[in-house]
Amino acid sequence: MAEDGGAFDYIIVGAGSAGCVLANRLSADPKTRVLVLEAGGRDNWIWFHIPVGYLFAIGNPRADWMYETEKEAGLGGRSLKYPRGKVIGGSSAINAMISMRGQAADYDHWRQLGLTGWGWDDVRPLFRQLDNHFLGETEHHASSGEWRVEQPRVRWAVLDAVAAAANEMGIPSTPDFNTGDNTGVGYFHVNQKRGLRWSAARAFLKPALKRANLTLETGVLAEAVTFDGTRATGVRYRKGGQVFEARARGEVILAAGSIGSTQLLQLSGVGPTEALGAHGIAVVADRPGVGGNLQDHLQQRAIFKVHGVKTLNETYHSLIRRGLMGLEFALFQSGPLTMAPSQLGIFTTSAPDHERANIQFHVQPLSLDKFGDPLHRFPAITVSACNLRPTSRGRIALRSADPAAAPLIAPNYLATPEDRRVGADAIRVTRRLMKQQALQRFRPEEFLPGPAVDDSDAALAVAAGQIGTTIFHPVGTAKMGLASDPQAVVDERLRVIGLQGLRVIDASIMPTITSGNTNTPTIMIAEKGARLVLEDARR
């Protein structure tokens, strides 16, 4: 028998990027009681706040769900670590901190799919209103919002040279990737405040926790949404060995991300009938699309050794330099400890037949075999290209009916000829970039994929899989779409189709992935989603 978890107007599952925004907005009315359920803990660890702390948080069960993918055929049979934040703030507590909206055409495509209210002209004002931007009040940005955006606090001569090389290739410099067209080269703007990470928890959740009508429960495992027929009535969850059931007078809102929300839907009987039946789960609603449509940006981590220029690799292996790096941060909140994982961005086309930028480079003044490993002992840079709009689709599925069991994650990278073509072309663009005159004084030497990989389509497609890894952008597994779309899970108001009192509001609702880092679009989705919830409550 479950213990009484209380009655609330809204129950939000997940205190990640979306859940923090929802908690803030839905609790603004003091007469509204809001419960937030979070599996992780508080962000009371120094490495959640010092930006370079992602190196210690990713792969640490204190901060990370520690997921792994299935073995991927497109990656040569490799399985990947699949980090997701397990703490208030969710993945915004361990991510790259890159402020990126995507392209106007991404959202106009959603509108063209019939999703009213999701075009660029609809969402751009939301992005702007959320901003607390160092550029101040401009056409594209504002300074009164909670989502802090700053310039990076460290520069590297080798990255300046890469930017100059991009210019030599005809890629223009841009001071701002967030105007609707992100074509160009420039330093990423970051979600930081005075050199510290600015997570969704710091921006939205913590200020709201002063409200008496907002309750946050951490260290809980949501087991299922409860239903009365087709109406969601609450959430059953486990904490400290006890099972509780909280009741929702208004709505249950899933904001646990593309993995968590999808898993909880299926555990609750919302998903493909046959798959649920295989685990003995009674079907509440047959939604075949739950768990499908998984999209992610695969980054191809090309590495080049360099000479006669400083990279973070040497600093990492020098106790004296590391000490000076710590002193600079302590005194000035600047230097390498403030670094986002990637500093320089390049958006361009992989081939002339693309109408808009379809690949994004993350350029780093460092190199390593994989996250969690030490940096290499030789000076090097990483020049990662990712396909912004992959056509491959993967899935999230239950392994068992045990809520504590990690789900099956199969991204299905490089499964289509188009994705393999873009992967091959992206390596060609990378090689051309590194051969530009601006970089020759540093004598770049290709370390990965390596000069032994020839320029044929077949060899480069294989190499793309060999050096490919996730860039941590899973979206789309509870796809927003029209009721006539059998794969749609939520409608344009983010209500689960065929059910009442249940919404999904997070990155899983994206019908197609945005052309860039996905955290800021997730923040926008939550802002818009909260407004939809409040509008419907007034009707």
Side-chain angles (χ1 to χ4, degrees):
M1 175 70 91
E3 299 286 335
D4 183 8
F8 300 85
D9 296 289
Y10 301 108
I11 300 175
I12 301 165
V13 180
S17 294
C20 288
V21 176
L22 291 163
N24 184 295
R25 301 306 192 240
L26 298 182
S27 66
D29 181 350
K31 296 190 294 293
T32 301
R33 291 194 70 205
V34 179
L35 172 65
V36 181
L37 301 174
E38 167 57 39
R42 300 279 183 147
D43 58 349
N44 52 357
W45 185 36
I46 191 170
W47 294 119
F48 286 133
H49 305 290
I50 296 177
V52 80
Y54 73 91
L55 287 170
F56 308 102
I58 291 176
N60 186 321
R62 178 172 183 170
D64 184 355
W65 278 94
M66 307 291 287
Y67 292 129
E68 295 186 16
T69 72
E70 297 297 287
K71 293 180 178 179
E72 288 282 300
L75 305 186
R78 289 184 296 129
S79 172
L80 299 180
K81 304 292 185 183
Y82 216 61
R84 293 283 87 197
K86 190 177 183 181
V87 61
I88 60 169
S91 292
S92 77
I94 66 172
N95 71 355
M97 296 164 284
I98 292 172
S99 174
M100 188 64 59
R101 297 173 179 175
Q103 298 170 3
D106 299 331
Y107 303 97
D108 286 341
H109 174 61
W110 294 4
R111 176 178 49 79
Q112 289 157 9
L113 293 173
L115 301 170
T116 303
W118 289 94
W120 177 247
D121 289 342
D122 301 303
V123 303
R124 190 176 75 87
L126 300 177
F127 281 123
R128 186 179 182 278
Q129 290 164 28
L130 285 161
D131 269 351
N132 180 351
H133 207 286
F134 75 93
L135 290 174
E137 298 288 331
T138 69
E139 177 187 359
H140 300 289
H141 301 292
S143 57
S144 57
E146 300 100 324
W147 198 224
R148 181 65 188 165
V149 181
E150 294 189 346
Q151 299 182 82
R153 292 178 171 239
V154 62
R155 293 183 76 97
W156 298 82
V158 70
L159 298 189
D160 290 340
V162 173
N167 292 157
E168 289 177 347
M169 287 176 61
I171 301 169
S173 295
T174 179
D176 185 2
F177 288 120
N178 287 308
T179 64
D181 177 3
N182 52 19
T183 300
V185 57
Y187 279 86
F188 290 121
H189 298 163
V190 291
N191 295 120
Q192 294 181 5
K193 187 172 184 179
R194 293 192 285 274
L196 294 175
R197 176 186 291 273
W198 191 245
S199 71
R202 292 187 69 196
F204 301 101
L205 181 61
K206 290 184 176 180
L209 285 176
K210 294 179 289 187
R211 300 168 182 165
N213 62 322
L214 176 61
T215 300
L216 170 67
E217 294 281 0
T218 58
V220 306
L221 178 65
E223 295 189 338
V225 177
T226 57
F227 289 92
D228 180 2
T230 58
R231 171 165 288 281
T233 57
V235 176
R236 187 174 67 250
Y237 63 94
R238 184 177 298 274
K239 180 172 184 176
Q242 287 186 290
V243 176
F244 297 84
E245 193 167 300
R247 303 180 305 284
R249 290 186 290 256
E251 297 192 32
V252 174
I253 302 170
L254 305 188
S258 292
I259 299 173
S261 289
T262 300
Q263 183 181 19
L264 189 57
L265 281 171
Q266 294 176 350
L267 288 168
S268 306
V270 183
T273 294
E274 185 176 345
L276 299 182
H279 296 293
I281 297 172
V283 176
V284 175
D286 177 27
R287 300 307 314 171
V290 173
N293 195 47
L294 174 62
Q295 299 158 62
D296 188 15
H297 290 138
L298 181 74
Q299 62 170 333
Q300 298 167 195
R301 298 183 63 252
I303 295 174
F304 288 79
K305 294 182 178 180
V306 292
H307 306 271
V309 66
K310 184 174 70 172
T311 73
L312 191 62
N313 288 11
E314 307 92 276
T315 301
Y316 180 87
H317 290 287
S318 166
L319 288 177
I320 293 174
R321 289 179 179 176
R322 287 169 73 171
L324 292 173
M325 186 168 67
L327 185 63
E328 180 181 1
F329 180 82
L331 293 176
F332 307 110
Q333 288 75 55
S334 63
L337 286 183
T338 69
M339 280 175 47
S342 302
Q343 292 75 54
L344 186 76
I346 305 171
F347 288 82
T348 188
T349 54
S350 60
D353 58 330
H354 293 276
E355 294 182 356
R356 55 188 171 109
N358 74 306
I359 57 172
Q360 175 185 4
F361 284 92
H362 290 78
V363 190
Q364 306 164 303
L366 56 87
S367 65
L368 69 170
D369 290 330
K370 63 181 183 298
F371 283 109
D373 286 359
L375 303 188
H376 291 144
R377 288 191 171 273
F378 49 80
I381 62 173
T382 301
V383 189
S384 295
C386 73
N387 179 355
L388 289 172
R389 294 182 294 279
T391 55
S392 300
R393 296 292 183 266
R395 66 190 180 102
I396 304 289
L398 296 181
R399 292 186 187 277
S400 79
D402 179 3
L408 178 149
I409 302 170
N412 205 27
Y413 296 118
L414 299 173
T416 64
E418 172 63 12
D419 285 356
R420 293 192 291 273
R421 180 176 79 94
V422 172
D425 286 342
I427 294 176
R428 292 189 179 102
V429 175
T430 305
R431 287 174 164 176
R432 191 162 74 248
L433 173 70
M434 299 305 293
K435 289 178 180 176
Q436 297 302 307
Q437 186 59 39
L439 282 163
Q440 295 320 296
R441 68 185 187 276
F442 302 137
R443 305 195 315 277
E445 298 176 34
E446 185 176 322
F447 180 71
L448 282 179
V453 177
D454 66 45
D455 198 50
S456 67
D457 289 344
L460 292 179
V462 170
Q466 291 172 335
I467 65 172
T469 189
T470 178
I471 206 164
F472 321 133
H473 297 164
V475 307
T477 53
K479 173 187 176 183
M480 175 171 54
L482 301 180
S484 57
D485 178 357
Q487 294 301 308
V489 178
V490 300
D491 64 16
E492 75 279 359
R493 300 188 73 81
L494 310 185
R495 300 169 298 200
V496 177
I497 297 169
L499 299 174
Q500 298 81 49
L502 180 63
R503 297 192 206 223
V504 182
I505 304 180
D506 57 31
S508 66
I509 66 92
M510 293 187 189
T512 51
I513 197 167
T514 53
S515 300
N517 306 73
T518 54
N519 192 58
T520 294
T522 301
I523 297 285
M524 179 279 293
I525 287 167
E527 176 72 17
K528 183 173 177 67
R531 296 182 184 202
L532 295 173
V533 170
L534 294 173
E535 284 174 11
D536 289 349
R538 290 192 290 267
R539 290 179 177 175

